[in-house]
Amino acid sequence: MNYLVLSDHYPFLSLKLKMTITTRFAPSPTGLLHIGGIRTALFSWLFARHHNGKFILRIEDTDRARSTDAAVQVILDGMAWLGLEYDAGPFYQTERAERYNEVIAQLLEAGHVYRCNCAKERVEQIRNAALSRGDKPRYDGHCRSLKVTDTNAVIRFKTPVHGQTIIDDQVQGKVIFENSELDDLIIARADGSPTYNLTVVVDDMDMAITDVIRGDDHLNNTPRQIHIFNALGANPPNYAHIPMILNPEGKKLSKRDGASGVLAYRDQGYLPAAVLNYLVRLGWSYGDQEIFSIADMIAAFDTKGINKSAASINPEKLLWLNRHYLKNAENKTLAKPLADLLQNLGINLNNGPDLIDLIDVQKHRTETLRDMAEQSVFFYNDFETYDEHAAKKHLRPVILTALQALQGALQQLQDWNNNNIKRAIEETAAQLEIKTGRLAQPLRVAVTGTSVSPSIDDTLRLLGQEKTLRRLHKGIALIELRCSS
Ligand code: GLU
């Protein structure tokens, strides 16, 4: 629980006010938001929701050269797709330049920062000398006491020279930094633009962020940010630095491992619930529970359960979860995403079965919505060619009479439903004294072009009588041709 201790600011008050837990997700739109970024967003979102707090989206786009509109759009669309709704924002750092300038002026005025016009070559020389001694490269504070007034100079922060900065990290535990190891970082470039460590502190302060959950690549920035908070007379937030996500071989994620944009998961037919469940368990555990609904996650999430060591992706587990959520999804929630995927395949939805009927059958036998779409194309579009192996094996002269008899029986049906279809197949098979299975498979190949489809009665029902008869007719014609040649 986070408290603002008013007595720090007003000694006559010893009252503790409970603060609203507020977290933020602060991506830089310099690359497409990927699975690692989304997991950070999810943890921050869950922490806020668990504490009935607030979750803010902040786009850190001050690196104008590398930020792109497309990357911003992926952040917005990705969060919307996954249902990670924010209570405030999106805030764009590029729109807050005035505020950063105000804070820089305040820091200059109070003497916490100074202008530095050391030549690039000098800074470079110090750096190289330190590196050749095997030391960390640090600026030597040359301009600290020089009272440089040149407004084209960079502005550096006066980092405390002595003492330690101790971070009580919610994941990493106590992390101690010697202040003497940190140099006077640049908070504003020569053109006046603020740097990351300044903007992040100003924003976290102004947005009253109580808990920062972010990647552990930012751990080294944290003592610097705490110094800036102190200089501004503000309380730093709590920090939780989460380890990165690795590939199954324990190496850094690359595009090959699916570190592509988060929307690729949508296009591959994964469900938001499956992706969130997968991500929450990637580096966080709660006993040995694997399946978490959104409500379960919110109820159980705590930074204490975040693992200290890096987690590896596990594509099979994501598929397993997706199958689980697909099977248990309400049909109507799948209609829109399936329609989108079918349309991506060039399907005209008016040419086939009702989507809800289709989903009801297919969701039990496919792993992703994309599989479902691909395995449903034949319901809409006539196929050009038969699967060669299936046609050779099943569309043979021996079955011709049976298929012709079946065609007649199916034609007679007044009511095109599973029971009637099934009965027609069974009765035809019985009359000809063959097993139902021996008739069903040639029928399947004739109407779908392949030997794999839902149960034969579901397949025919979803195809509809007209399409079934038309395709059966074509299959029979093919066998007749074989007989005559
Ligand atoms: N913008 C930073 C990034 O995308 C995150 C900053 C932060 O969370 O403090 O890596």
Side-chain angles (χ1 to χ4, degrees), residues 24 26-28 58 60 196 200 212-214 217-218 225:
R24 56 22 171 219
S28 304
R58 180 168 86 219
E60 303 207 322
Y196 160 70
V200 93
V212 166
I213 300 175
R214 62 185 173 193
D217 48 331
H218 286 291
Q225 292 174 13

Side-chain angles (χ1 to χ4, degrees), residues 45 58 119 121 177 194 202 270 354 407 420 426 469:
W45 181 81
R58 180 168 86 219
E121 296 73 27
F177 289 89
V202 175
Y270 291 98
D354 175 69
Q407 187 182 27
N420 289 349
E426 281 168 2
L469 291 173

Side-chain angles (χ1 to χ4, degrees), residues 142-163:
H142 178 75
C143 293
R144 237 189 207 230
S145 50
L146 290 187
K147 304 231 167 1
V148 175
T149 51
D150 178 1
T151 49
N152 290 325
V154 301
I155 300 178
R156 290 185 183 271
F157 186 79
K158 284 186 189 164
T159 302
V161 194
H162 303 292

